[in-house]
Amino acid sequence: MGELKRTHDCYSITEESLETEVVLMGWVHRRRDHGGLIFVDLRDRKGITQVVFAPEVDEKSHQKAHSLRSEYVIAVRGRVRRRPEGMENPKIKTGMVEVACLELRILNTSKTPPFPLEEEKEVSESVRLKYRYIDLRKPHMVENLTLRHSVCQAMREFLNQHDFLEIETPMLTRSTPEGARDYLVPSRVNPGRFYALPQSPQLFKQILMISGMERYYQIVRCFRDEDLRADRQPEFTQLDMELSFVNEEGIMDLIEGLITHVFSRTLGIELNTPFPRLTYQEAMDRFGTDRPDTRFGLELVDITDIAAGCGLKVFNTIVEKGGVVRAVNAKGMADLSRKDLDVLTEFAQSFGAKGLAWVKIKEDRSWQSPIAKFFKPEEQEAVMTRLSAAPGDILFFGADSRSTVDRVLGELRLELARRRNLIPEKDFNFVWVTHFPLLEFDEDEGRFKALHHPFTAPSREDLDLLEEDPARVRSRAYDLVLNGIEIGGGSIRIHQEAVQKRVFNALNIGDEEAEEKFGFLLEALTLGAPPHGGIAFGLDRLVMLMAGRETIRDVIAFPKTQKAQCLMTRAPAHVSMAQLAELYLRPDWKQEEGQT
RNA sequence: GGGGUCGUAGUUCAGUCCGGUUAGAACGCUGGCCUGUCACGCCAGAGGUCGCGAGUUCGAGUCUCGUCGGCCCCGCCA
């Protein structure tokens, strides 16, 4: 770079800099070589500025500019000037001006990049991930990471103002029995023992409350060794928080303040508070899911009582066996073709439905449907009344166990909305879901498992059901849902040893096992534990939604593929036998190529 | 663990259903011309292990089997 010192970035060159001399450094985004005159779009993290190489301004740099290619790294000293009349480019912020080059330095050359750095051009994700450093040069990727940074800053700003301490918790910790699979790390100095990477700092933040820290937060990496999805990575980032001396209301108020601050600071969007609240029961009844997308209607309606008496055997049998019949009114969608209905049926089946019954409402309110004849006129009328059905509507029925019907109709509702573009893309609809069940019965393991985690406090009024009817105990947990995606979850925690022991019992964790795995927590609860609660936000998901992306990979600098591999570094990789031996690990898989 | 989908030039894709000449297009790339472009333009050119392996066939990008990989989903994710 010699004595050249960068004076501006490629975004901040404006008419205020006219006739001044500036030094820009960045990458050659595009070159338009007219022979006698060469234009280069110079790109840096902030933006793009057009540089003109003209022989009458500087012969030498004009000569040199012929050799410039895409992604060369250059430094340009030049004079800012107004573009000639009619030659302005309103598409870029610096489009009124240009920099006439007086001196060009090529800081580094570049081979032709493996894919174009243009937003519109779709490039397969595997190529993007292999060359992630080039992918990240794309302006929209810079925007995503910049937004992520701003969101973190706004969070810190708000929490610092509200008297929170940012405290780090260990990455090497112990494996916990409940929950997801752990990533394990062998201990060299403790042969045969393993650390686990944290699935969340849950226990440490509760201990911090018992330590009297009162308000804690951390933007922290968490690890879960489970299969990946568009919104799930093996390592992800959480805004983790915990407070003492609060109840649900206190936390939800605080979080609404936090989210409002973040949206205002980063996107300039002013959200309305308080956010709507639904109980788990309401959410399941109306949307068939505990993370409802509330940007559109198409709510579920129960017609089990009507179906029980109708002439359709399948419905009767299901109801007799304790199942339910529920329905969705797809308003004005009776124009769906036979083929559409076949596709939707297949869709429903992929979520476990046996079939998908439907009814089109004709002009005279009569039914066009394979199942019409099984419903007496008064039953048809009753169904239509309950679903507010009108001519032109089509009703979809789900009949099965409650959980299957909820899943199928919940997904069908989303699919119908997507097909008919009923979802306002720019909206941010937050909703709190509260009063989750504390436990759910796991058929495979034949025991109750915690719906959130085993440290969630049961509702006071349900406490005595813990032993007699565990399934009916509600918890003091709350989830924050944004546009149908769970972005945060938390609860008031158990702060009394006796209650914690009762919950462990309900989970079939014996005293001995509880003592062995959570002894430190149980003991801490007897040594001055304040009432406390908290919440954790999926930062990746939140930023993804704010950036309008469809996968969290687009807001993570170096994400992994569905097979949990990093295509750039090629992790995970083989290690040497010597390295394994040092860790007292003896593999019993076949020695593969690459294993030394 | 399961279902779906894709894999052809540097990139994005067509060709595969129904096997048959030298595997095409666009963008990009290379060279030449061009003083107002901004998706610059014009002319010329280079560029392919059709993911990999086996099989069927006179003949395979195309059919069959296997395998590897990307993505989406179910299960799983306290």
Side-chain angles (χ1 to χ4, degrees), chain A residues 398-455:
Chain A
D400 211 303
S401 67
R402 174 71 198 251
S403 63
T404 301
V405 169
D406 281 352
R407 184 172 61 248
V408 169
L409 292 187
E411 292 292 341
L412 182 70
R413 170 177 178 268
L414 292 170
E415 178 63 17
L416 291 169
R418 282 190 291 260
R419 279 171 170 257
R420 293 300 171 111
N421 291 318
L422 299 180
I423 307 177
E425 305 260 334
K426 300 269 186 247
D427 282 13
F428 291 100
N429 278 29
F430 288 90
V431 55
W432 287 105
V433 180
T434 63
H435 295 84
F436 282 81
L438 183 71
L439 309 165
E440 79 187 329
F441 193 72
D442 185 310
E443 301 287 345
D444 297 334
E445 294 190 32
R447 66 174 184 103
F448 282 97
K449 293 184 103 172
L451 199 76
H452 278 83
H453 56 60
F455 319 108

Side-chain angles (χ1 to χ4, degrees), chain A residues 168-239:
Chain A
E168 291 160 278
T169 53
M171 285 290 117
L172 296 176
T173 175
R174 65 172 292 162
S175 185
T176 51
E178 302 277 312
R181 291 186 190 89
D182 284 317
Y183 275 99
L184 295 177
V185 180
S187 169
R188 179 182 56 82
V189 293
N190 298 279
R193 298 202 208 179
F194 295 82
Y195 301 99
L197 301 180
Q199 296 179 26
S200 99
Q202 184 60 34
L203 289 171
F204 288 101
K205 68 175 174 176
Q206 287 189 239
I207 296 284
L208 283 171
M209 292 305 102
I210 300 172
S211 309
M213 293 301 148
E214 300 193 15
R215 294 184 161 214
Y216 141 95
Y217 80 93
Q218 184 181 194
I219 293 176
V220 61
R221 198 65 57 84
C222 300
F223 304 85
R224 290 176 195 176
D225 187 4
E226 296 292 346
D227 287 354
L228 289 79
R229 289 279 196 287
D231 61 354
R232 274 160 37 186
Q233 283 275 305
E235 50 178 312
F236 59 98
T237 305
Q238 201 166 273
L239 169 65

Side-chain angles (χ1 to χ4, degrees), chain A residues 318-456:
Chain A
I318 284 165
V319 176
E320 273 160 34
K321 283 192 198 150
V324 299
V325 181
R326 313 190 70 203
V328 173
N329 179 1
K331 278 263 158 223
M333 296 191 203
D335 57 332
L336 285 167
S337 70
R338 189 66 220 208
K339 195 182 167 213
D340 291 331
L341 292 171
D342 285 347
V343 171
L344 287 172
T345 301
E346 241 172 76
F347 177 85
Q349 283 166 341
S350 75
F351 290 96
K354 310 276 190 308
L356 184 65
W358 51 266
V359 170
K360 289 182 179 177
I361 313 292
K362 292 197 280 196
E363 272 312 312
D364 59 358
R365 291 179 68 80
S366 67
W367 283 18
Q368 180 196 338
S369 164
I371 62 166
K373 60 178 178 236
F374 300 107
F375 284 76
K376 295 199 236 11
E378 60 270 27
E379 288 165 346
Q380 296 192 357
E381 205 49 51
V383 168
M384 290 193 287
T385 303
R386 197 168 298 175
L387 285 153
S388 312
D393 294 352
I394 179 168
L395 316 179
F396 291 97
F397 300 86
D400 211 303
S401 67
R402 174 71 198 251
S403 63
T404 301
V405 169
D406 281 352
R407 184 172 61 248
V408 169
L409 292 187
E411 292 292 341
L412 182 70
R413 170 177 178 268
L414 292 170
E415 178 63 17
L416 291 169
R418 282 190 291 260
R419 279 171 170 257
R420 293 300 171 111
N421 291 318
L422 299 180
I423 307 177
E425 305 260 334
K426 300 269 186 247
D427 282 13
F428 291 100
N429 278 29
F430 288 90
V431 55
W432 287 105
V433 180
T434 63
H435 295 84
F436 282 81
L438 183 71
L439 309 165
E440 79 187 329
F441 193 72
D442 185 310
E443 301 287 345
D444 297 334
E445 294 190 32
R447 66 174 184 103
F448 282 97
K449 293 184 103 172
L451 199 76
H452 278 83
H453 56 60
F455 319 108
T456 303

